[in-house]
Amino acid sequence: MIKRIVKMTFDPDKVDEFLTVFEESKALIRNFDGCHHLELLRDANAPNRFFTFSFWDSEIHLNTYRDSALFKSTWAKTKILFIEKPEAWSVEQHTCA
């Protein structure tokens, strides 16, 4: 399983628009094949900065989502609201002995 973290910083005047887009798409993303978890986090010190945190069965499942019409439609509505380039990381759980 991989965990995906995406950092997004929005124009402060566009935050409500982003929240509407997220609200409209979150159930569809959560039900996408291979997705086990999706949450939205807001930076405690920068109210226009958000993070999505999602769990995927594999990189293949994540990439299938990223190639989907759902992602393309959601991203098209979201990316026009940014004031900084988004950043994304795919991470795996590290277990210590």
Side-chain angles (χ1 to χ4, degrees):
M1 179 171 291
I2 64 164
K3 297 179 181 182
R4 182 76 167 180
I5 303 161
V6 180
K7 175 182 142 185
M8 301 168 288
T9 306
F10 296 97
D11 177 329
D13 294 332
K14 304 291 185 179
V15 167
D16 287 342
E17 191 173 342
F18 163 69
L19 292 172
T20 298
V21 171
F22 185 82
E23 189 64 31
E24 292 170 348
S25 60
K26 68 182 181 183
L28 297 169
I29 298 167
R30 287 178 177 145
N31 288 312
F32 203 89
D33 184 42
C35 183
H36 293 276
H37 178 82
L38 170 67
E39 66 182 291
L40 182 65
L41 306 167
R42 189 176 213 162
D43 189 314
N45 298 307
N48 63 319
R49 182 171 297 129
F50 291 83
F51 300 82
T52 55
F53 187 47
S54 56
F55 301 174
W56 295 88
D57 280 334
S58 68
E59 194 81 27
I60 292 169
H61 287 90
L62 173 61
N63 287 334
T64 299
Y65 163 66
R66 292 180 67 214
D67 290 335
S68 73
L70 171 59
F71 175 82
K72 290 175 184 173
S73 171
T74 303
W75 195 246
K77 295 173 192 173
T78 302
K79 70 181 180 180
I80 60 173
L81 309 174
F82 295 138
I83 59 168
E84 292 180 11
K85 184 178 178 183
E87 297 180 61
W89 302 268
S90 291
V91 297
E92 296 176 327
Q93 183 84 30
H94 177 72
T95 54
C96 296

